């Protein structure tokens, strides 16, 4: 019975060990995947945040540059406005000589600013009184509803005022910039007006070193494209319909905004930084290509996938190999302790288990525990050689197998049973009195006699029984049982003898 229990125990242990190993394996895989995914998510957000910060910094620097570039314009217009009195802003002039001197003077001013298309003075009614291009003298801007006239007359009257972009007669993109001339009460007496060629924006942007597929653009408050790096000629002056750009153009309080978007101009997804340029009617937009921003992250993703896959596969194959080795070790242990024909314990396994049982009994006896001593039964098949000679070894083997099944069926959970050698079997029954052991042996003998393993032959067995004596060795116990078995055979076989 011990071997069947051992086999079942090993199977249970294999199932438990297999479940534990796979649980640990998939637990480690889960940790690896969670850690990798978390790290990749953090790296991804960091890559996007870094690209956003770069775009934000660039937009800030470019906005600063555009503001500073208008300082020269502000200075020239301020100097020009303060060089005139309100009485001099008359057209047609009453003093041609003075008019000619003043015109020469503003021509000299315009040469300080290479991006000026023209420079002139207008009276409070928006009539051109002085200009660097004579064809505009006397032009009534108010009557022609020019935007710069409306801006100049609009409160507050102080400060630089810039119009939206317009296309001039020579097809260049321009804006007008005005600076007021006011009297002591702050009323408008006139204003200096300059036309600026916006191509200088493009010329400056072209000087900037820019990574491939990144973009720098300038828009006016009508969302029209003023300049772009890289330059796309057909898009300059185009009005761009984009939600965030349009919202910022209409909302003076919104100074900066960052987001991700596929460009409506070239269809490339970028991380955008939009920034309003101070009090000027311009918005600078810097775009960092998303795929370039996360290129390093993608390399990390590839490496993580390879590493995680390799590690997970190593864990899986390692777990399989461990389970296979564990199973082989258990099978080898079973082979080393089990009789291969009957599946009962072999002599070595029985001896080890019996010695432990006897040692346990001696320990209990030392503490005066009221336990019955173990009883050893030795069984030998009668005339087994004749069975082999008459019917062949196949039948003989079947007889051994069938008797082992009878023994297994009769043995309890704590009983030991084994094939001792040849046709001999041994059983050790713990905590058993002699009468119970004799009854057990009788039942065993009766069950064996009912076997039909050999054709037309009754299988019988002789049994020797002996009770363990405290502190004696297993060898001594076995010798007494062997004497009892010998007596059973000498007295006619198919019987039970006690020693």
């Amino acid at each position: 019975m011990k071997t069947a229990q051992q086999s079942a125990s090993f199977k249970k242990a294999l199932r438990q060990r297999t479940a534990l190993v796979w649980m640990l394996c998939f637990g480690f895989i889960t940790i690896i995947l969670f850690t990798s995914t978390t790290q990749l998510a953090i790296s991804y957000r960091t890559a996007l945040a870094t690209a956003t910060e770069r775009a934000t910094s660039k937009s800030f620097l470019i906005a600063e540059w555009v503001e500073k570039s208008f300082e020269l314009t502000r200075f020239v217009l301020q100097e020009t406005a303060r060089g005139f009195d309100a009485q001099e802003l008359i057209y047609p002039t009453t003093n041609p000589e003075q008019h000619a001197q003043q015109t020469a003077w503003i021509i000299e001013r315009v040469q300080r600013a290479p991006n000026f298309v023209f420079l002139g003075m207008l009276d409070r009614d928006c009539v051109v009184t002085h200009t660097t291009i004579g064809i505009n003298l006397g032009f009534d801007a108010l009557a022609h509803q020019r935007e710069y006239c409306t801006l100049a007359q609009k409160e507050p009257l102080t400060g630089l005022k810039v119009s939206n972009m317009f296309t001039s007669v020579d097809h260049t993109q321009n804006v007008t910039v005005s600076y007021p001339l006011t009297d002591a009460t702050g009323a408008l007496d006139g204003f200096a007006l300059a036309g600026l060629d916006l191509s200088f924006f493009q010329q400056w942007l072209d000087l900037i070193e820019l990574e491939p597929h990144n973009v720098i653009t300038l828009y006016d408050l009508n969302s029209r494209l003023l300049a772009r790096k890289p330059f796309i000629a057909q898009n300059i002056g185009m009005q761009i319909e984009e939600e965030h750009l349009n919202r910022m153009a209409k909302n003076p309080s919104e100074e900066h905004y960052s987001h991700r978007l596929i460009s409506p101009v070239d269809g490339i997804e970028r991380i955008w930084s939009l920034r309003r340029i101070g009090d000027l009617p311009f918005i600078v937009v810097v775009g960092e290509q998303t795929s370039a921003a996360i290129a390093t992250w993608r390399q990390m993703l590839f490496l993580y996938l390879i590493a995680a896959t390799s590690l997970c596969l190593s864990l899986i194959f390692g777990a399989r190999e461990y389970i296979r080795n564990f199973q082989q070790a258990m099978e080898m242990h079973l082979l080393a302790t089990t009789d291969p024909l009957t599946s009962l314990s072999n002599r070595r396994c029985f001896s080890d288990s019996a010695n432990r049982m006897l040692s346990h009994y001696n320990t209990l006896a030392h503490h005066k525990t009221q336990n019955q001593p173990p009883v050893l039964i030795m069984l030998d098949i009668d005339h087994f050689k004749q069975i082999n000679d008459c019917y062949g070894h196949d039948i003989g083997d079947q007889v051994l197998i069938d008797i082992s099944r009878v023994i297994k069926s009769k043995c309890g959970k704590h009983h030991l049973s084994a094939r001792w050698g040849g046709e001999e079997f041994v059983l050790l029954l713990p905590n058993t009195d002699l009468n119970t052991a004799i009854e057990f042996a009788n039942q065993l003998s009766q069950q064996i006699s009912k076997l039909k393993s050999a054709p037309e032959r009754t299988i019988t067995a002789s049994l020797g029984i002996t009770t363990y004596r405290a502190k004696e060795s297993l060898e001594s116990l076995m010798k007494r049982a062997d004497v009892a078995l010998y007596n059973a055979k000498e007295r006619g076989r198919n019987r039970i003898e006690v020693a």
Side-chain angles (χ1 to χ4, degrees), residues 190-423:
F191 56 93
L193 180 70
L196 303 185
D197 183 356
L198 295 181
S199 63
F200 87 99
F201 284 150
Q202 188 63 53
Q203 293 167 5
W204 185 84
L205 290 183
D206 289 340
L207 298 176
I208 299 175
E209 291 292 333
L210 199 63
E211 295 82 359
H213 302 295
N214 289 354
V215 171
I216 300 174
T217 53
L218 283 170
Y219 293 90
D220 67 8
L221 296 185
N222 288 320
S223 301
R224 285 185 294 188
L225 183 61
L226 307 181
R228 186 182 193 274
K229 174 71 179 288
F231 180 68
I232 302 178
Q234 64 270 26
N235 292 130
I236 301 302
M238 178 187 296
Q239 189 169 30
I240 304 300
E241 293 298 330
E242 196 282 304
E243 176 187 358
H244 304 93
L245 176 64
N246 295 340
R247 187 188 68 235
M248 180 173 280
K250 296 174 183 178
N251 185 7
S253 63
E254 188 172 10
E255 296 182 356
H256 177 259
Y257 184 79
S258 296
H259 66 111
R260 284 173 63 185
L261 184 74
I262 295 175
S263 170
V265 175
D266 57 17
I268 297 175
E269 182 179 296
R270 294 186 178 90
I271 299 166
W272 300 97
S273 173
L274 290 71
R275 186 177 296 277
R276 182 181 286 272
I277 304 176
D279 58 356
L280 299 176
F282 304 123
I283 297 172
V284 60
V285 179
V286 175
E288 291 260 343
Q289 187 182 19
T290 305
S291 59
I294 61 174
T296 302
W297 176 84
R298 283 178 172 169
Q299 293 176 358
M300 183 185 296
L301 173 63
F302 179 71
L303 294 176
Y304 267 59
L305 286 175
I306 293 176
T309 301
S310 301
L311 191 54
C312 291
L313 289 176
S314 298
L315 285 170
I316 291 171
F317 287 122
R320 290 181 60 186
E321 190 65 17
Y322 175 83
I323 292 169
R324 188 177 69 85
N325 290 338
F326 183 76
Q327 184 176 5
Q328 287 178 347
M330 287 197 302
E331 290 171 352
M332 290 176 66
H333 181 74
L334 281 175
L335 289 173
T337 58
T338 306
D339 176 65
L341 179 64
T342 63
S343 296
L344 290 173
S345 296
N346 59 20
R347 180 183 292 218
R348 177 182 176 183
C349 179
F350 178 84
S351 296
D352 291 342
S353 299
N355 278 319
R356 285 194 295 271
M357 182 185 290
L358 298 181
S359 176
H360 180 66
Y361 170 76
N362 288 327
T363 301
L364 294 177
H366 176 73
H367 291 90
K368 303 186 183 303
T369 303
Q370 298 299 317
N371 267 20
Q372 295 290 337
V375 174
L376 181 68
I377 300 174
M378 185 171 281
L379 181 152
D380 186 89
I381 303 172
D382 296 333
H383 304 295
F384 185 71
K385 185 176 183 302
Q386 292 179 12
I387 295 172
N388 275 334
D389 292 342
C390 293
Y391 299 103
H393 287 283
D394 289 345
I395 296 298
D397 287 348
Q398 189 59 51
V399 170
L400 293 171
I401 292 170
D402 289 344
I403 289 177
S404 70
R405 287 174 180 165
V406 172
I407 292 173
K408 291 175 188 176
S409 68
K410 295 300 294 180
C411 285
K413 181 178 179 181
H414 300 293
H415 294 169
L416 298 180
S417 61
R419 183 184 177 192
W420 192 248
E423 68 272 21

Side-chain angles (χ1 to χ4, degrees), residues 138-196:
F139 180 77
D140 189 345
L142 183 61
H144 289 81
Q145 299 180 339
R146 291 293 190 259
E147 182 188 12
Y148 58 78
C149 183
T150 305
L151 287 173
Q153 294 178 340
K154 185 178 179 181
E155 296 288 344
L157 298 177
T158 58
L160 204 67
K161 295 184 178 179
V162 185
S163 71
N164 288 304
M165 186 193 74
F166 63 93
T167 303
S168 68
V169 293
D170 58 356
H171 304 293
T172 59
Q173 309 299 325
N174 299 332
V175 294
T176 58
V177 187
S178 64
Y179 191 88
L181 173 63
T182 57
D183 62 18
T185 64
L188 184 68
D189 283 335
F191 56 93
L193 180 70
L196 303 185

Side-chain angles (χ1 to χ4, degrees), residues 451-464:
L451 294 175
K452 304 296 183 183
S453 306
E456 301 179 357
R457 187 181 183 100
T458 300
I459 308 298
T460 62
S462 300
L463 296 92

